[in-house]
Amino acid sequence: MSNRSLALNRTARRGAPVPTAPVILRPGAKRRLLDASPSAAEPWYVNDHTLIRGHDDRWHAFGIWHPEPADPLGEDRFLHASADDLTGAPWTVHDPVLHARGEIGETHVWAPHVIAHDGRYWMFYAGGTADHTAYRMTLATSEDLFTWTPHEPVLFEDGFDARDPMVIRHGQRWYMYYTRTSAPDGGAHQVAVRSSTDLLTWSEPSVAYESTIFGTYGGPTESSFVVRAGQGWILFVCESAEYDRTLAYFSTDPLRFGDSGLLDVDLDEHCAEIVADPAGGGRTWITGGGWDRGGLTIRPLEILPDVREEELV
């Protein structure tokens, strides 16, 4: 274990929550997963994205899809592509889905996240408007991953540029993590979390992680993603000050992460997603994308218990 890791874990012991089972993240070699550009002469980027294995046994990818160069406020549709195998088969690009609905004031749509529940698919995403202090968290559902029906009304509003939802189930409740600022017009960059029992009605937010950085656009809490890891949890966030950089924080409490839990790992991904592939030997993968990145990348990610923790006792 590096001196930095030792220092971080000792710091974690002085704070709360205390990591009782620290982990090691070991990323493998990165390679291209998907380039959804119409042609080499007409490049399109895929930014914040999600991957899910459908009932048709195919993998489906959804994400922000737009011609280069970057134009975040003009991102008005989601890519939909599918493949028989997560890592080995060619991808088929389908018609885009869920265009921004100008009739209700949406100017762009960001960061889809899809889960399967109760016999259908649920896509959570941010609907951007001219008012950056009250972005809308939106839900659409589908029976087949091709035809989507937006849910009305929107789930809730938050700011500044509240976006990047990610939903998991823990116990009897669902939790939605997303990025926002401590005040709607700007402040400390945060990962907020809300809970629900039905995926439709969501609690008021609490703060799962708060950065020491203040601002409005961007920030170090983008693309939050939470996964179970042994006896604890890992929060992944995108550090937008360094475009290709994802940070990981360990905690024993899925609703509270802190800088003391920072893990010592180099993850050079933007808008990272963590994907488990039960059909691929149970392997876990990390994907990335972004502006001017030629689509999506993928590489294996081992999440291992840190047996060397006994050295600190």
Side-chain angles (χ1 to χ4, degrees):
M1 181 180 291
S2 69
N3 291 334
R4 179 168 176 264
S5 294
L6 291 171
L8 288 169
N9 283 328
R10 288 187 179 116
T11 302
R13 291 179 181 278
R14 292 195 294 270
V18 177
T20 58
V23 296
I24 296 173
L25 299 181
R26 185 177 295 162
K30 183 187 297 188
R31 68 175 184 81
R32 182 70 50 204
L33 174 67
L34 164 66
D35 183 351
S37 300
S39 70
E42 189 182 359
W44 285 49
Y45 60 82
V46 182
N47 207 339
D48 303 282
H49 60 285
T50 185
L51 294 118
I52 186 169
R53 192 179 184 202
H55 297 145
D56 57 1
D57 287 331
R58 288 176 64 83
W59 281 93
H60 294 256
F62 299 89
I64 295 172
W65 196 35
H66 192 276
E68 297 282 9
D71 180 18
L73 299 184
E75 296 166 348
D76 62 358
R77 73 199 71 181
F78 292 144
L79 165 78
H80 178 203
S82 67
D84 287 329
D85 182 79
L86 178 60
T87 62
W91 288 79
T92 300
V93 177
H94 307 290
D95 291 337
V97 299
L98 293 172
H99 292 69
R101 293 170 290 166
E103 67 275 13
I104 66 167
E106 284 182 351
T107 57
H108 52 281
V109 288
W110 284 349
H113 179 73
V114 179
I115 64 170
H117 173 64
D118 199 23
R120 57 179 170 164
Y121 302 99
W122 306 63
M123 180 187 290
F124 303 88
Y125 63 98
T129 69
D131 183 1
H132 293 266
T133 69
Y135 267 32
R136 302 164 177 171
M137 213 61 76
T138 304
L139 168 67
T141 57
S142 174
E143 303 294 328
D144 60 4
L145 292 167
F146 285 84
T147 302
W148 293 88
T149 302
H151 173 79
E152 298 292 349
V154 299
L155 301 178
F156 57 85
E157 295 181 345
D158 208 338
F160 188 95
D161 282 5
R163 61 199 183 279
D164 301 353
M166 183 269 172
V167 174
I168 61 171
R169 188 165 191 169
H170 179 46
Q172 299 301 308
R173 304 190 72 83
W174 296 93
Y175 293 97
M176 180 190 294
Y177 300 85
Y178 63 100
T179 185
R180 68 168 195 174
T181 51
S182 56
D185 58 351
H189 291 285
Q190 297 177 336
V191 174
V193 59
R194 299 183 187 229
S195 66
S196 174
T197 57
D198 61 4
L199 294 172
L200 298 174
T201 303
W202 293 87
S203 70
E204 290 299 305
S206 61
V207 178
Y209 172 79
E210 182 169 286
S211 169
T212 57
I213 305 300
F214 283 65
T216 50
Y217 301 99
T221 58
E222 292 189 311
S223 304
S224 56
F225 204 101
V226 175
V227 299
R228 193 69 190 254
Q231 299 178 39
W233 304 80
I234 301 175
L235 166 68
F236 297 85
V237 291
C238 182
E239 168 57 90
S240 63
E242 297 181 37
Y243 194 77
D244 294 310
R245 187 186 186 202
T246 289
L247 303 177
Y249 299 89
F250 181 87
S251 175
T252 55
D253 183 349
L255 304 182
R256 191 156 57 108
F257 296 84
D259 289 332
S260 63
L262 181 66
L263 297 176
D264 187 10
V265 62
D266 183 16
L267 298 172
D268 59 341
E269 272 84 17
H270 182 81
C271 64
E273 296 283 301
I274 311 302
V275 186
D277 184 5
R283 299 187 76 179
T284 298
W285 305 85
I286 182 169
T287 60
W291 306 330
D292 196 30
R293 294 300 180 267
L296 300 179
T297 59
I298 190 168
R299 58 174 164 169
L301 179 67
E302 291 185 280
I303 303 177
L304 305 170
D306 188 352
V307 295
R308 294 165 296 179
E309 175 66 7
E310 64 189 23
E311 299 173 10
L312 300 180
V313 178

